[in-house]
Amino acid sequence: RSELSVREHMSMILKKISESDFVEFSSLFDTKNDPIAKMVVCFLAILELCKESMIKINQQAPCSPIYLKSAEI
């Protein structure tokens, strides 16, 4: 059993966002290979980044892809 760090995942997400303008929400998860606990920690990291105003979450229409982007202008 390994420990999962929300802060570690926050750093990973910020790095991915810095490499491109937008990151698709679903690209942060590997639903076939990642354990549920890892996906939950990643989701919590996304929520924490949004709460701290470090990222913005955008969806154009219901059921369309969700994108994350840096909150920096």
Side-chain angles (χ1 to χ4, degrees), residues 31-57:
T31 56
K32 292 183 181 182
N33 298 321
D34 285 345
I36 296 294
K38 184 175 179 183
M39 291 189 279
V40 169
V41 169
C42 187
F43 184 69
L44 290 173
I46 291 167
L47 293 176
E48 187 66 27
L49 287 167
C50 189
K51 180 180 134 187
E52 293 181 12
S53 300
M54 297 176 80
I55 65 170
K56 292 186 179 187
I57 302 172

Side-chain angles (χ1 to χ4, degrees), residues 10 15-16 18 22 24 28 30 34 37 47 55 66 72:
M10 288 170 68
K15 183 178 179 213
K16 282 188 178 185
S18 72
F22 291 93
E24 190 171 347
L28 298 172
D30 183 0
D34 285 345
L47 293 176
I55 65 170
I66 298 170
E72 296 176 1

Side-chain angles (χ1 to χ4, degrees), residues 3 7 10 13 19 23 27-28 33-34 37 40 45 50-51 63 66-68 70:
E3 278 191 39
R7 290 282 171 197
M10 288 170 68
I13 293 165
E19 293 170 356
V23 174
S27 72
L28 298 172
N33 298 321
D34 285 345
V40 169
C50 189
K51 180 180 134 187
C63 300
I66 298 170
Y67 292 96
L68 309 175
S70 177

